[in-house]
Amino acid sequence: MTPRERAAFNQGVEAVRQAALIIAVTIEAQDGSQGPRQQAAVAALQALAEGAKDLMLPEPEDRS
């Protein structure tokens, strides 16, 4: 994978992570968001955001 492809992949993963966190916060901020479905959705989105960190590709080691 080229450095450019790696950077694009990582940016996409970061976008997913940030979107999940934004949606989770939005759900939490809504009136009546204390129902079990809303709480489950928030927990799932937070888990998605946390798990997405593991998808990030590390920078290659400099072999020069």
Side-chain angles (χ1 to χ4, degrees):
M1 183 176 279
T2 67
R4 181 177 235 165
E5 291 169 333
R6 182 183 310 276
F9 178 83
N10 284 342
Q11 287 175 349
V13 171
E14 181 61 19
V16 167
R17 198 182 76 72
Q18 289 181 12
L21 290 174
I22 289 168
I23 295 167
V25 169
T26 301
I27 291 171
E28 286 180 317
Q30 291 177 343
D31 290 336
S33 66
Q34 299 305 315
R37 288 183 183 172
Q38 289 82 2
Q39 289 176 347
V42 167
L45 288 164
Q46 289 171 338
L48 172 64
E50 187 64 30
K53 288 182 192 177
D54 294 334
L55 295 175
M56 300 291 276
L57 298 174
E59 293 297 319
E61 295 180 19
D62 188 14
R63 297 184 181 218
S64 47

Coordinates of all heavy atoms in Angstrom, one line a residue:
M1 N 0.9 -1.2 0.0 CA 0.0 0.0 0.0 C 0.9 1.2 0.0 O 1.8 1.3 0.8 CB -0.9 0.0 1.2 CG -1.9 1.1 1.3 SD -3.0 1.0 2.7 CE -4.2 -0.1 2.1
T2 N 0.6 2.2 -0.9 CA 1.4 3.4 -0.9 C 1.1 4.3 0.3 O 0.0 4.2 0.9 CB 1.1 4.2 -2.2 OG1 -0.2 4.7 -2.2 CG2 1.3 3.3 -3.5
P3 N 2.0 5.2 0.6 CA 1.7 6.1 1.7 C 0.4 7.0 1.5 O -0.3 7.2 2.4 CB 3.0 7.1 1.7 CG 4.0 6.2 1.1 CD 3.4 5.3 0.1
R4 N 0.2 7.3 0.2 CA -1.0 8.1 -0.1 C -2.3 7.2 0.2 O -3.3 7.7 0.7 CB -1.0 8.5 -1.5 CG -2.2 9.3 -1.9 CD -2.0 9.8 -3.4 NE -2.2 11.2 -3.3 CZ -1.8 12.0 -4.3 NH1 -1.3 11.6 -5.4 NH2 -2.0 13.3 -4.2
E5 N -2.3 6.0 -0.2 CA -3.4 5.1 0.0 C -3.6 4.8 1.5 O -4.7 4.8 2.0 CB -3.2 3.7 -0.7 CG -3.2 3.8 -2.2 CD -2.8 2.5 -2.9 OE1 -1.9 1.8 -2.3 OE2 -3.2 2.3 -4.0
R6 N -2.5 4.7 2.2 CA -2.6 4.5 3.7 C -3.2 5.7 4.4 O -4.0 5.6 5.2 CB -1.2 4.2 4.2 CG -1.1 3.9 5.7 CD 0.3 3.8 6.2 NE 1.1 2.8 5.4 CZ 1.1 1.5 5.5 NH1 0.4 1.0 6.5 NH2 1.8 0.7 4.8
A7 N -2.8 6.9 3.9 CA -3.3 8.1 4.5 C -4.8 8.3 4.2 O -5.6 8.6 5.1 CB -2.5 9.3 4.0
A8 N -5.2 7.9 3.0 CA -6.6 8.0 2.6 C -7.4 7.0 3.4 O -8.5 7.4 3.9 CB -6.8 7.7 1.1
F9 N -6.9 5.8 3.6 CA -7.6 4.8 4.4 C -7.8 5.3 5.8 O -8.9 5.3 6.4 CB -6.9 3.5 4.4 CG -7.5 2.4 5.2 CD1 -8.6 1.7 4.7 CD2 -7.1 2.2 6.5 CE1 -9.2 0.7 5.5 CE2 -7.7 1.2 7.3 CZ -8.8 0.5 6.8
N10 N -6.7 5.8 6.4 CA -6.8 6.3 7.8 C -7.7 7.5 7.9 O -8.4 7.6 8.9 CB -5.4 6.6 8.3 CG -4.6 5.4 8.7 OD1 -5.1 4.3 8.8 ND2 -3.3 5.5 8.8
Q11 N -7.8 8.3 6.9 CA -8.7 9.5 7.0 C -10.1 9.0 6.9 O -11.0 9.6 7.6 CB -8.4 10.5 5.9 CG -7.1 11.3 6.1 CD -6.8 12.1 4.9 OE1 -7.4 12.0 3.8 NE2 -5.8 13.0 5.0
G12 N -10.4 8.0 6.1 CA -11.7 7.4 6.1 C -12.2 6.8 7.4 O -13.3 7.0 7.8
V13 N -11.3 6.1 8.0 CA -11.6 5.5 9.3 C -11.8 6.6 10.3 O -12.7 6.5 11.2 CB -10.4 4.5 9.8 CG1 -10.6 4.1 11.2 CG2 -10.3 3.3 8.8
E14 N -11.0 7.6 10.3 CA -11.2 8.7 11.3 C -12.5 9.4 11.1 O -13.2 9.8 12.0 CB -10.0 9.7 11.2 CG -10.1 10.9 12.1 CD -10.1 10.5 13.6 OE1 -9.6 9.4 13.9 OE2 -10.5 11.3 14.4
A15 N -12.9 9.6 9.8 CA -14.2 10.2 9.5 C -15.4 9.4 10.1 O -16.3 9.9 10.6 CB -14.4 10.4 8.0
V16 N -15.3 8.0 9.9 CA -16.3 7.2 10.5 C -16.3 7.3 12.0 O -17.4 7.4 12.6 CB -16.0 5.7 10.1 CG1 -16.9 4.7 10.9 CG2 -16.3 5.5 8.6
R17 N -15.1 7.3 12.6 CA -15.0 7.4 14.1 C -15.7 8.7 14.6 O -16.5 8.7 15.5 CB -13.6 7.3 14.5 CG -13.3 7.0 15.9 CD -11.8 7.0 16.2 NE -11.3 8.3 16.3 CZ -11.5 9.2 17.3 NH1 -12.3 8.8 18.3 NH2 -11.0 10.4 17.3
Q18 N -15.3 9.8 13.9 CA -15.9 11.1 14.3 C -17.4 11.2 14.1 O -18.1 11.7 15.0 CB -15.2 12.2 13.6 CG -13.7 12.4 14.1 CD -13.0 13.6 13.4 OE1 -13.7 14.4 12.7 NE2 -11.7 13.7 13.6
A19 N -17.9 10.6 13.0 CA -19.3 10.7 12.7 C -20.1 9.9 13.8 O -21.1 10.3 14.3 CB -19.6 10.1 11.3
A20 N -19.5 8.7 14.2 CA -20.2 7.9 15.2 C -20.3 8.6 16.5 O -21.3 8.6 17.2 CB -19.4 6.6 15.4
L21 N -19.2 9.3 16.9 CA -19.2 10.1 18.1 C -20.2 11.3 18.1 O -20.9 11.6 19.0 CB -17.8 10.6 18.5 CG -16.8 9.5 18.9 CD1 -15.4 10.1 19.1 CD2 -17.3 8.8 20.2
I22 N -20.2 12.0 16.9 CA -21.1 13.1 16.8 C -22.6 12.6 16.9 O -23.4 13.2 17.6 CB -20.9 13.8 15.5 CG1 -19.5 14.6 15.5 CG2 -22.0 14.8 15.1 CD1 -19.1 15.1 14.2
I23 N -22.9 11.5 16.2 CA -24.3 11.0 16.3 C -24.6 10.6 17.7 O -25.7 10.8 18.2 CB -24.5 9.9 15.3 CG1 -24.3 10.4 13.9 CG2 -25.8 9.2 15.5 CD1 -24.2 9.3 12.8
A24 N -23.7 9.9 18.4 CA -23.9 9.5 19.8 C -24.2 10.7 20.7 O -25.2 10.7 21.5 CB -22.7 8.7 20.3
V25 N -23.4 11.7 20.5 CA -23.7 12.9 21.4 C -25.0 13.6 21.0 O -25.7 14.1 21.9 CB -22.5 13.9 21.2 CG1 -22.8 15.3 21.8 CG2 -21.2 13.4 21.8
T26 N -25.3 13.6 19.7 CA -26.6 14.2 19.3 C -27.8 13.4 19.9 O -28.7 14.0 20.4 CB -26.7 14.2 17.7 OG1 -25.6 14.9 17.2 CG2 -28.0 14.8 17.3
I27 N -27.7 12.1 19.9 CA -28.8 11.3 20.5 C -28.9 11.6 22.0 O -30.0 11.7 22.5 CB -28.5 9.8 20.2 CG1 -28.7 9.5 18.7 CG2 -29.5 8.9 21.0 CD1 -28.3 8.1 18.3
E28 N -27.7 11.6 22.6 CA -27.7 11.9 24.1 C -28.3 13.2 24.4 O -29.0 13.4 25.5 CB -26.3 11.8 24.6 CG -25.8 10.4 24.8 CD -24.4 10.4 25.3 OE1 -23.5 11.2 24.9 OE2 -24.1 9.5 26.2
A29 N -28.2 14.2 23.5 CA -28.6 15.6 23.8 C -30.1 15.8 23.5 O -30.7 16.8 24.0 CB -27.8 16.6 23.0
Q30 N -30.7 14.9 22.9 CA -32.1 15.0 22.5 C -33.0 14.8 23.8 O -32.7 14.0 24.6 CB -32.5 14.0 21.4 CG -31.9 14.3 20.1 CD -32.3 13.3 19.1 OE1 -32.7 12.2 19.4 NE2 -32.1 13.6 17.8
D31 N -34.1 15.5 23.8 CA -35.1 15.3 24.8 C -35.6 13.8 24.7 O -35.9 13.4 23.6 CB -36.3 16.3 24.7 CG -35.8 17.7 25.1 OD1 -34.9 17.8 25.8 OD2 -36.5 18.6 24.6
G32 N -35.8 13.2 25.8 CA -36.4 11.8 25.8 C -35.4 10.8 25.3 O -35.8 9.7 24.9
S33 N -34.1 11.1 25.5 CA -33.1 10.1 25.0 C -32.7 9.1 26.0 O -31.7 8.4 25.8 CB -31.9 10.9 24.5 OG -31.2 11.5 25.6
Q34 N -33.5 9.0 27.1 CA -33.1 8.0 28.1 C -33.7 6.7 28.0 O -33.6 5.8 28.8 CB -33.5 8.6 29.5 CG -32.8 10.0 29.8 CD -31.3 9.8 29.7 OE1 -30.7 8.9 30.2 NE2 -30.6 10.8 29.0
G35 N -34.4 6.4 26.9 CA -35.0 5.1 26.7 C -34.0 4.1 26.4 O -32.9 4.4 26.0
P36 N -34.4 2.8 26.5 CA -33.4 1.7 26.3 C -32.9 1.7 24.9 O -31.7 1.4 24.7 CB -34.2 0.5 26.7 CG -35.6 0.9 26.8 CD -35.7 2.3 27.0
R37 N -33.7 2.0 23.9 CA -33.2 2.0 22.5 C -32.2 3.0 22.3 O -31.2 2.8 21.6 CB -34.4 2.1 21.5 CG -35.3 0.9 21.5 CD -36.4 1.1 20.5 NE -37.3 0.0 20.4 CZ -38.4 -0.1 19.8 NH1 -38.8 1.0 19.1 NH2 -39.1 -1.2 19.8
Q38 N -32.5 4.2 22.8 CA -31.5 5.3 22.6 C -30.2 5.0 23.3 O -29.1 5.3 22.8 CB -32.1 6.6 23.1 CG -33.2 7.2 22.2 CD -34.6 6.5 22.5 OE1 -34.7 5.7 23.4 NE2 -35.6 6.9 21.7
Q39 N -30.3 4.5 24.5 CA -29.1 4.1 25.3 C -28.3 3.1 24.6 O -27.1 3.1 24.5 CB -29.4 3.7 26.7 CG -29.9 4.8 27.6 CD -30.4 4.4 28.9 OE1 -30.6 3.2 29.2 NE2 -30.6 5.3 29.8
A40 N -29.0 2.1 24.0 CA -28.3 1.0 23.2 C -27.6 1.6 22.0 O -26.5 1.2 21.6 CB -29.3 -0.1 22.9
A41 N -28.3 2.5 21.3 CA -27.7 3.1 20.1 C -26.5 3.9 20.5 O -25.5 3.9 19.8 CB -28.8 4.0 19.4
V42 N -26.6 4.7 21.5 CA -25.4 5.5 22.0 C -24.2 4.5 22.3 O -23.1 4.8 21.9 CB -25.8 6.4 23.2 CG1 -24.5 7.0 23.8 CG2 -26.7 7.5 22.7
A43 N -24.5 3.5 23.1 CA -23.4 2.5 23.4 C -22.8 1.9 22.2 O -21.6 1.7 22.1 CB -24.0 1.5 24.4
A44 N -23.7 1.5 21.2 CA -23.2 0.9 20.0 C -22.3 1.9 19.2 O -21.3 1.5 18.7 CB -24.3 0.4 19.2
L45 N -22.7 3.1 19.1 CA -22.0 4.1 18.4 C -20.6 4.4 19.1 O -19.6 4.6 18.4 CB -22.8 5.4 18.2 CG -23.9 5.3 17.2 CD1 -24.9 6.4 17.4 CD2 -23.4 5.2 15.8
Q46 N -20.6 4.4 20.4 CA -19.4 4.7 21.1 C -18.4 3.5 20.9 O -17.2 3.7 20.8 CB -19.7 4.9 22.6 CG -20.3 6.3 22.8 CD -20.8 6.4 24.3 OE1 -21.1 5.5 25.0 NE2 -21.0 7.7 24.6
A47 N -19.0 2.3 20.9 CA -18.2 1.1 20.7 C -17.6 1.1 19.3 O -16.4 0.7 19.0 CB -19.0 -0.2 20.9
L48 N -18.4 1.5 18.3 CA -17.9 1.6 16.9 C -16.8 2.6 16.8 O -15.7 2.3 16.2 CB -19.1 2.1 16.0 CG -18.7 2.4 14.6 CD1 -18.2 1.2 13.8 CD2 -19.8 3.0 13.8
A49 N -16.9 3.7 17.5 CA -15.8 4.7 17.4 C -14.6 4.2 18.1 O -13.5 4.4 17.6 CB -16.3 6.0 18.1
E50 N -14.7 3.5 19.2 CA -13.6 3.0 19.9 C -12.9 1.9 19.1 O -11.7 1.8 19.0 CB -14.0 2.4 21.3 CG -12.8 2.0 22.2 CD -11.9 3.1 22.5 OE1 -12.3 4.3 22.6 OE2 -10.7 2.8 22.7
G51 N -13.7 1.0 18.5 CA -13.2 -0.1 17.7 C -12.5 0.4 16.4 O -11.6 -0.3 15.9
A52 N -13.0 1.5 15.9 CA -12.4 2.0 14.7 C -10.9 2.4 14.8 O -10.1 2.3 13.9 CB -13.2 3.2 14.2
K53 N -10.5 2.7 16.1 CA -9.1 3.1 16.3 C -8.2 1.9 15.9 O -7.1 2.1 15.4 CB -8.9 3.4 17.8 CG -9.5 4.7 18.2 CD -9.2 4.9 19.7 CE -9.9 6.0 20.4 NZ -9.6 6.1 21.8
D54 N -8.7 0.7 16.1 CA -7.9 -0.5 15.9 C -7.7 -0.7 14.4 O -6.9 -1.5 13.9 CB -8.5 -1.7 16.5 CG -8.5 -1.7 18.0 OD1 -7.6 -1.0 18.6 OD2 -9.4 -2.3 18.6
L55 N -8.6 -0.1 13.5 CA -8.4 -0.2 12.1 C -7.4 0.7 11.5 O -7.0 0.5 10.3 CB -9.8 0.1 11.4 CG -10.9 -0.9 11.8 CD1 -12.2 -0.4 11.1 CD2 -10.6 -2.3 11.3
M56 N -6.9 1.7 12.2 CA -6.0 2.6 11.7 C -4.7 1.9 11.4 O -4.2 1.0 12.1 CB -5.7 3.7 12.7 CG -6.9 4.5 13.1 SD -7.5 5.5 11.8 CE -6.5 6.9 12.0
L57 N -4.1 2.2 10.2 CA -2.9 1.5 9.8 C -1.7 2.3 10.3 O -1.7 3.5 10.2 CB -2.8 1.5 8.2 CG -3.9 0.7 7.6 CD1 -3.9 0.8 6.0 CD2 -3.8 -0.8 8.0
P58 N -0.7 1.6 10.9 CA 0.4 2.4 11.4 C 1.3 2.9 10.2 O 1.3 2.3 9.1 CB 1.2 1.3 12.2 CG 0.8 0.0 11.6 CD -0.6 0.2 11.1
E59 N 2.1 3.9 10.5 CA 3.0 4.4 9.6 C 4.1 3.4 9.4 O 4.6 2.8 10.4 CB 3.6 5.7 10.1 CG 2.6 6.9 10.1 CD 2.0 7.2 8.7 OE1 2.8 7.2 7.8 OE2 0.8 7.4 8.6
P60 N 4.6 3.2 8.2 CA 5.7 2.2 8.0 C 7.0 2.7 8.6 O 7.2 3.9 8.7 CB 5.8 2.1 6.4 CG 5.2 3.4 5.9 CD 4.2 3.8 6.9
E61 N 7.8 1.8 9.0 CA 9.0 2.1 9.7 C 10.0 2.6 8.6 O 10.0 2.1 7.5 CB 9.6 0.9 10.4 CG 8.8 0.5 11.6 CD 9.4 -0.7 12.3 OE1 10.6 -1.0 12.0 OE2 8.7 -1.4 13.0
D62 N 10.8 3.6 8.9 CA 11.8 4.1 8.0 C 12.9 3.1 7.9 O 13.6 2.8 8.9 CB 12.3 5.5 8.4 CG 13.1 6.1 7.4 OD1 13.2 5.7 6.3 OD2 13.8 7.1 7.8
R63 N 13.2 2.6 6.7 CA 14.2 1.5 6.5 C 15.5 2.1 5.8 O 16.2 1.4 5.2 CB 13.7 0.4 5.8 CG 12.6 -0.3 6.5 CD 12.1 -1.5 5.8 NE 11.0 -2.1 6.5 CZ 10.9 -3.4 6.7 NH1 11.7 -4.3 6.1 NH2 9.8 -3.9 7.4
S64 N 15.7 3.4 6.0 CA 16.9 3.9 5.3 C 18.1 3.9 6.2 O 18.2 3.6 7.3 CB 16.6 5.3 4.9 OG 16.0 6.1 5.8

